[in-house]
Amino acid sequence: MLKNGFYGAEAHGAYETASIGRLELEEGGVIEDCWLAYATAGTLNEDKSNAILLPTWYSGSHGAYFQTYVGAGHALDPEKYFIISVNQIGNGLSVSPFNTADDSISMSKFPDVRIGDDVVAQERLLREHFGISELFAVVGGSMGAQQTYEWIVRFPDKVKRAAAIAGTAKNTPHDFLFTQILNEAIESDPGFKGGEYGSHTEVADGLRRQSHIWSVMGFSTEYWKGEEWRTLGFETKEAVLSDFLDPLFLSMDPNTLLNNAWKWQRGDVSRHTDGDLAAALGRVTAKTFVMPISEDMFFPVRDCAAEQELIPGSELRVIEDNAGHLGLFGMSANYMPQIDRNLSELFAS
Amino acid sequence: MLKNGFYGAEAHGAYETASIGRLELEEGGVIEDCWLAYATAGTLNEDKSNAILLPTWYSGSHGAYFQTYVGAGHALDPEKYFIISVNQIGNGLSVSPFNTADDSISMSKFPDVRIGDDVVAQERLLREHFGISELFAVVGGSMGAQQTYEWIVRFPDKVKRAAAIAGTAKNTPHDFLFTQILNEAIESDPGFKGGEYGSHTEVADGLRRQSHIWSVMGFSTEYWKGEEWRTLGFETKEAVLSDFLDPLFLSMDPNTLLNNAWKWQRGDVSRHTDGDLAAALGRVTAKTFVMPISEDMFFPVRDCAAEQELIPGSELRVIEDNAGHLGLFGMSANYMPQIDRNLSELFAS
């Protein structure tokens, strides 16, 4: 186990952990003690019909939702709903390469995990620990959207409503290549040592290069051109990198990012239907809103719209935001109002 | 001097070299013997009024034009025009970090060069070696477009027509950051040794990482999704990288790429007008076609259109191509017909 202070309540907000025991993975690996970090808000009602699940995104955690999306005045209102965000496996808060006590899966030995493994683990956690057998809604951004799609295809009877924000049901080839360059930034650092570094700080150069790739793909050309980062208090574009993206990514654990990236690259609900995406999405019975961000460089609206057309009764709700994919952080003033308006409508349906 | 067989007539087609002597650079450096590699086709007419200049792009040479854009049946027809493509300084064919005999500017000591330095050098070459004082047209793609804009702002009386394909007059912040990650891919390779490598093959890992970044930003999401690379004879997306982009970039000289990237990042015709882009582009008297590629990820149509609106009498001619920026290579069947149609119209004006 390595120490990495970033993965704790101070940076991500309070959370609890629970084990679902042994988890056999789609790719053949096993996590003997699969413990998940999760956070909740609100109260589960008597018939357990008001639970909303928020699966997490790459490099993110429950904290990204609880700091921005959840609260009084938001659609994700703890006065009405029991809101639970479960951190994805390998994200640094749930069981992960650097924090597992099981030496057989530590660091470079951590097994490949798929989106489906996360959803199976979450379903078990909700059922066994909370007695929840049906979700009022699943709402997720980016890799959280991948998990949302997996939920409504794998367990169509267990989800009433779904919102997939800035993500796809089947990853695209371009997105696969994008994630590959994120990975290569880390793996090429001599300090990475094939995943057997002694501290994430030894991979600082690779993490910084990944941060810089995010500066190109995470925001949009319009965001940079309009210097919209000034609303965040920065005075130069260089400061957005050196004072925001770099410190964030340099805090992170490299194996954690790589494990989640492997999963991200292979998200594909059509694995349930022999590669037939239309058949997979045709299974969906949840009322589904597909919510791409207008200026997303790697989950472009048209890719999301093409999937939305395959989902019965679904609606395309484009979120207008020059921030692009990283708009997910809610950094533009007009972002959360759009999210809240759409989710409110979804929840009322 | 290093040996690098890529930079020769076999890969790029026949060319000649000529020295314009001492070139004092905008940033304060000096190239004592500034020799330029150029190729020509057609015959200069008696009053020297039929010369068309083709400035080169990043990682490219005159060969990219002569293999695809120039010839009978194309708008750039050597039967009608005297066509000359001058390789930009530092591109591996003209005087460059690895091929100069002047040790004081070799390798990491090569001075910073600006787009303006290239245009001054080209103007001198054309005037002193060919007696050309006015160009029928300047046509350039990408960094060639940057040089095209520099020509029509710096020497408004010397250019009658201009076509700027897939490039900008003033580089954007997003594009600067994109180029930065290209640079970092090279500079982070331990074999790079601060620019003092013993062979470009020692920087193969860094060059491969740069190649992979091109796979993400050079093409478009639609190109990958539609598997349009199949028209090039590849059978998998991996082969596009391993059999096309990787061998190409692994052939190149790292310092050459970095020198040209520095220049690319800082292209800005408003240097002539104290930062006032409208004033700079307002000077233009050449009939100008602004020709962005529809799916370009880093010179998006809207950025080019915003500049076009500042150029008196200019026209926006969008080239529809899912290949994105690398569509410049003419790999889509519908690319060259659009280029030819627009250039023919420009040349007839």
Side-chain angles (χ1 to χ4, degrees):
Chain A
M1 279 198 282
L2 298 187
K3 287 235 181 289
N4 184 330
F6 177 66
Y7 297 102
E10 198 179 330
H12 297 273
Y15 62 94
E16 297 175 79
T17 61
S19 177
I20 58 160
R22 176 183 166 92
L23 183 68
E24 296 184 1
L25 302 166
E26 290 184 24
E27 290 297 304
V30 176
I31 300 175
E32 292 294 344
D33 178 21
C34 183
W35 49 273
L36 299 171
Y38 64 90
T40 68
T43 308
L44 191 59
N45 61 11
E46 213 162 300
D47 60 0
K48 304 191 173 184
S49 64
N50 69 336
I52 298 178
L53 174 69
L54 310 177
T56 63
W57 61 65
Y58 178 84
S59 84
S61 75
H62 65 280
Y65 294 121
F66 278 77
Q67 287 156 22
T68 306
Y69 291 70
V70 176
H74 288 298
L76 290 164
D77 184 351
E79 287 292 316
K80 295 185 193 167
Y81 305 110
F82 176 67
I83 297 163
I84 177 165
S85 178
V86 182
N87 288 275
Q88 62 174 313
I89 297 167
N91 87 329
L93 290 169
S94 289
V95 60
S96 296
F98 78 91
N99 70 14
T100 175
D102 180 351
D103 280 345
S104 73
I105 58 166
S106 71
M107 300 298 279
S108 66
K109 300 191 291 292
F110 202 81
D112 292 331
V113 181
R114 282 194 177 268
I115 296 286
D117 296 317
D118 273 285
V119 169
V120 164
Q122 289 160 15
E123 192 276 339
R124 212 195 289 179
L125 178 78
L126 292 173
R127 186 162 37 79
E128 296 179 353
H129 288 255
F130 297 94
I132 296 169
S133 57
E134 187 181 81
L135 287 163
F136 181 85
V138 182
V139 176
S142 200
M143 286 188 74
Q146 291 184 305
Q147 294 165 71
T148 299
Y149 281 119
E150 180 75 20
W151 262 97
I152 60 180
V153 170
R154 183 182 280 259
F155 299 124
D157 298 339
K158 288 174 177 281
V159 188
K160 300 283 243 185
R161 298 162 193 82
I165 307 168
T168 49
K170 177 177 178 168
N171 200 28
T172 64
H174 177 268
D175 198 62
F176 188 98
L177 293 169
F178 163 50
T179 315
Q180 180 169 310
I181 67 173
L182 293 176
N183 293 346
E184 288 176 354
I186 289 174
E187 293 163 343
S188 62
D189 189 327
F192 176 64
K193 296 183 184 138
E196 296 297 333
Y197 47 88
S199 160
H200 70 285
T201 59
E202 297 171 8
V203 196
D205 290 344
L207 292 167
R208 188 179 297 104
R209 289 198 295 277
Q210 171 158 152
S211 159
H212 292 181
I213 295 171
W214 279 106
S215 79
V216 176
M217 292 294 291
F219 297 106
S220 76
T221 59
E222 285 296 277
Y223 190 78
W224 288 113
K225 192 172 191 185
E227 300 191 349
E228 297 188 32
W229 38 262
R230 288 191 185 277
T231 64
L232 304 176
F234 298 109
E235 298 199 345
T236 65
K237 75 173 184 301
E238 289 72 23
V240 180
L241 276 65
S242 63
D243 298 350
F244 169 39
L245 292 175
D246 289 353
L248 181 62
F249 279 91
L250 264 72
S251 303
M252 295 183 191
D253 177 70
N255 284 326
T256 280
L257 293 174
L258 291 169
N259 182 269
N260 284 188
W262 191 95
K263 191 196 294 183
W264 167 9
Q265 289 180 299
R266 291 160 183 82
D268 180 5
V269 296
S270 77
R271 285 164 52 79
H272 294 290
T273 48
D274 289 328
D276 184 338
L277 184 62
L281 293 176
R283 285 186 184 183
V284 173
T285 54
K287 174 68 181 175
T288 302
F289 278 13
V290 171
M291 298 165 63
I293 298 173
S294 58
E295 289 285 340
D296 197 316
M297 299 273 287
F298 50 98
F299 293 118
V301 170
R302 57 192 174 198
D303 285 351
C304 299
E307 294 185 336
Q308 179 265 318
E309 289 174 12
L310 301 175
I311 303 173
S314 66
E315 296 181 35
L316 180 69
R317 301 292 181 107
V318 178
I319 307 299
E320 300 291 335
D321 191 353
N322 282 344
H325 191 76
L326 295 180
L328 280 170
F329 284 99
M331 53 186 82
S332 299
N334 66 347
Y335 177 81
M336 275 311 300
Q338 295 178 77
I339 294 293
D340 282 329
R341 198 159 53 241
N342 283 293
L343 291 185
S344 294
E345 203 175 321
L346 177 67
F347 296 165
S349 71
Chain B
M1 280 198 282
L2 299 186
K3 287 235 181 287
N4 184 328
F6 177 67
Y7 297 102
E10 199 179 329
H12 296 273
Y15 62 92
E16 297 175 79
T17 61
S19 177
I20 58 160
R22 175 183 168 92
L23 183 69
E24 296 184 0
L25 303 166
E26 291 185 22
E27 290 296 304
V30 176
I31 300 175
E32 292 294 343
D33 178 22
C34 183
W35 49 272
L36 299 171
Y38 64 91
T40 68
T43 308
L44 191 59
N45 61 10
E46 212 160 304
D47 61 358
K48 303 189 174 185
S49 64
N50 70 336
I52 298 178
L53 173 69
L54 311 176
T56 63
W57 60 64
Y58 178 84
S59 84
S61 75
H62 65 279
Y65 293 121
F66 277 77
Q67 287 155 22
T68 305
Y69 291 69
V70 175
H74 288 298
L76 290 164
D77 184 351
E79 288 293 316
K80 294 186 192 168
Y81 306 110
F82 176 66
I83 297 163
I84 178 165
S85 178
V86 182
N87 289 275
Q88 61 175 315
I89 296 167
N91 86 329
L93 291 170
S94 289
V95 60
S96 297
F98 78 90
N99 70 13
T100 175
D102 179 352
D103 280 344
S104 74
I105 59 166
S106 72
M107 300 299 279
S108 66
K109 299 190 292 292
F110 203 81
D112 292 332
V113 181
R114 282 194 177 268
I115 296 287
D117 295 317
D118 273 287
V119 169
V120 164
Q122 290 159 16
E123 192 275 339
R124 212 196 287 179
L125 178 78
L126 292 172
R127 186 162 37 80
E128 295 179 355
H129 288 256
F130 297 94
I132 295 168
S133 57
E134 187 182 82
L135 287 163
F136 181 86
V138 183
V139 176
S142 200
M143 285 188 73
Q146 290 183 305
Q147 293 165 70
T148 299
Y149 282 119
E150 181 75 19
W151 262 98
I152 60 181
V153 170
R154 184 183 281 259
F155 298 124
D157 299 338
K158 289 175 176 282
V159 188
K160 300 284 244 187
R161 296 163 194 82
I165 307 169
T168 48
K170 178 177 178 167
N171 200 28
T172 65
H174 178 268
D175 198 62
F176 188 99
L177 293 169
F178 164 51
T179 314
Q180 180 169 311
I181 67 172
L182 293 176
N183 294 345
E184 288 176 355
I186 289 174
E187 292 162 344
S188 61
D189 188 328
F192 176 63
K193 295 183 183 137
E196 296 297 332
Y197 47 87
S199 160
H200 69 285
T201 59
E202 297 171 8
V203 196
D205 291 343
L207 292 166
R208 187 179 297 103
R209 289 199 295 278
Q210 172 158 152
S211 160
H212 293 182
I213 295 171
W214 278 106
S215 79
V216 175
M217 292 294 291
F219 297 106
S220 76
T221 60
E222 285 297 277
Y223 190 79
W224 288 112
K225 192 173 191 182
E227 299 190 349
E228 297 187 33
W229 38 262
R230 288 191 185 278
T231 65
L232 304 177
F234 298 109
E235 298 200 346
T236 65
K237 75 174 184 302
E238 289 72 23
V240 180
L241 277 63
S242 63
D243 298 349
F244 169 39
L245 292 175
D246 288 354
L248 180 63
F249 279 92
L250 264 72
S251 303
M252 294 182 192
D253 176 70
N255 283 328
T256 279
L257 293 174
L258 291 168
N259 182 269
N260 283 188
W262 192 94
K263 191 195 296 182
W264 168 8
Q265 289 180 298
R266 292 161 182 82
D268 180 5
V269 296
S270 78
R271 286 164 51 80
H272 294 289
T273 49
D274 289 328
D276 184 338
L277 184 62
L281 293 176
R283 285 188 184 181
V284 174
T285 54
K287 174 67 183 177
T288 302
F289 279 12
V290 172
M291 297 164 64
I293 297 174
S294 58
E295 289 286 339
D296 198 315
M297 298 273 286
F298 49 99
F299 292 118
V301 170
R302 57 192 175 197
D303 285 351
C304 299
E307 294 185 337
Q308 179 265 317
E309 289 173 11
L310 301 175
I311 303 173
S314 66
E315 295 181 36
L316 180 69
R317 301 292 181 107
V318 178
I319 306 298
E320 299 292 335
D321 191 352
N322 282 344
H325 192 74
L326 294 180
L328 280 169
F329 284 99
M331 53 185 83
S332 300
N334 67 347
Y335 177 80
M336 275 311 300
Q338 294 179 78
I339 294 292
D340 282 329
R341 199 160 52 241
N342 283 293
L343 291 185
S344 294
E345 202 175 321
L346 177 67
F347 296 165
S349 70

